[in-house]
Amino acid sequence: MTTPGGDGARWRADGALVLLCLFWGVTFVVVKDALAFADPFTFITLRFAVGAAVMVALAGRRMFAPGVLRKGVLLSVLLFLSFALQTVGLTDTTPSRAAFLTGLNVLFVPLFSVVLHKRLPRWGTIVGVVLAAVGLYAMTMQDEGPVRPGHLWGLYLGDWLSIGCAATYAGHILLTERFASRDGVLGLVAVQLSGVALLSALCLPFVERRLEPTPALIGAVLACGVLASAVAIGVQTWGQARTTAVRAAVIFALEPVFASVASVAVGREVLGPREWFGGALILLGVLISELGPVVWDGWRARGRPPAS
């Protein structure tokens, strides 16, 4: 697939998505801490209400441009399911495990893409997907000592919810590639964030609610609402208008690596050689996906006779 603007635009988009993964990885720890003061749906409602307020102010009438409202509503449903499954899952698993399992969208995206678009990714991307998936497995299936009740195949409810998040977010990545345009980012993101805030609020009467408005919670809501929602979803939409969904999914596999580093840095977890090996495989997969075809084409070009 040829991306708009050529290789330069694609490299800028991929670089922006890497920085996005760094930020999202750190917020896994922030959200985990915030859930000590609020239930998942209250937190999601507050977070996305803040993000929606920012984006609606910026987008204005662009929210109602032809096609934007319909596309944004569809994307908001998938985004809501992703964040709901991820946030509820964090109540029953660790930040790094949640991040690793959410990163399985690196497998779901190319599988869904083949079914929907009937096209195979380039060989470098396929190798990158395989390496990232193996790395995610190595990092996720860590030895945690005695198995507590309630597991299925070594995974707990929070882990399965995180896998569900991976599947729904894969759908969001694919549809973002299809819907994103170079000029309609603000309106599309504003509709999405408003939709997630509304859907989360509709869930509140049916769940057990808990809210302690501490400075830590307020800070988490503002940081996640403005930066991890409004800015981040905007960057994702901008970037995916300039690269492919499968490339984006491989890059997003970096998110659990950054989440692990952040969790270790604050003393939340200690990772062993297996987890670090898995992280190295993910990094290698991203590098091969990004640079493998470029290096290969360069080698082939050197071996060709000069054009007459």
Side-chain angles (χ1 to χ4, degrees):
M1 176 179 175
T2 303
T3 56
D7 288 341
R10 189 199 70 194
W11 283 103
R12 288 192 295 273
D14 290 351
L17 294 180
V18 170
L19 293 177
L20 175 60
C21 288
L22 172 60
F23 187 74
W24 269 345
V26 173
T27 60
F28 269 89
V29 177
V30 175
V31 174
K32 179 70 174 179
D33 291 342
L35 292 177
F37 306 105
D39 65 275
F41 285 96
T42 296
F43 179 76
I44 295 174
T45 302
L46 294 172
R47 166 184 179 167
F48 278 92
V50 169
V54 172
M55 292 307 299
V56 168
L58 293 174
R61 294 182 179 179
R62 279 171 283 195
M63 293 176 60
F64 306 102
V68 169
L69 194 59
R70 176 180 58 81
K71 295 173 182 176
V73 168
L74 182 55
L75 286 170
S76 71
V77 172
L78 290 172
L79 193 61
F80 164 73
L81 290 173
S82 299
F83 275 92
L85 291 169
Q86 182 185 82
T87 307
V88 175
L90 271 169
T91 63
D92 190 53
T93 190
T94 64
S96 65
R97 284 181 69 89
F100 301 153
L101 292 168
T102 300
L104 287 176
N105 63 65
V106 74
L107 283 180
F108 290 131
V109 168
L111 291 175
F112 294 169
S113 182
V114 170
V115 173
L116 292 175
H117 303 305
K118 305 295 189 296
R119 69 168 184 250
L120 289 174
R122 296 188 66 181
W123 70 266
T125 304
I126 294 175
V127 173
V129 166
V130 172
L131 287 174
V134 173
L136 286 166
Y137 176 82
M139 297 179 82
T140 305
M141 297 304 177
Q142 50 191 295
D143 183 10
E144 296 186 338
V147 177
R148 59 183 170 88
H151 71 96
L152 177 62
W153 300 335
L155 299 174
Y156 301 97
L157 176 61
D159 298 328
W160 286 109
L161 293 176
S162 298
I163 293 173
C165 168
T168 55
Y169 199 62
H172 183 270
I173 291 172
L174 284 166
L175 286 185
T176 299
E177 178 194 26
R178 174 176 292 184
F179 293 159
S181 68
R182 297 170 68 83
D183 303 315
V185 171
L186 290 178
L188 195 60
V189 175
V191 174
Q192 286 186 72
L193 299 190
S194 301
V196 175
L198 176 60
L199 290 170
S200 303
L202 291 175
C203 292
L204 291 178
F206 306 100
V207 298
E208 182 178 349
R209 296 184 299 280
R210 176 172 49 86
L211 178 62
E212 299 175 41
T214 64
L217 176 64
I218 295 171
V221 167
L222 293 176
C224 290
V226 176
L227 298 176
S229 297
V231 175
I233 301 298
V235 169
Q236 179 195 351
T237 306
W238 176 89
Q240 284 203 240
R242 294 159 175 82
T243 191
T244 67
V246 179
R247 286 176 67 88
V250 175
I251 293 171
F252 289 159
L254 288 171
E255 184 180 342
V257 178
F258 294 137
S260 297
V261 172
S263 191
V264 170
V266 299
R268 183 64 56 80
E269 298 174 73
V270 177
L271 304 182
R274 185 175 179 182
E275 290 79 20
W276 290 113
F277 174 71
L281 283 180
I282 292 173
L283 290 172
L284 181 61
V286 172
L287 288 174
I288 290 178
S289 175
E290 291 290 316
L291 302 177
V294 176
V295 173
W296 176 255
D297 291 344
W299 284 344
R300 290 185 62 189
R302 289 181 188 177
R304 293 181 190 141
S308 55

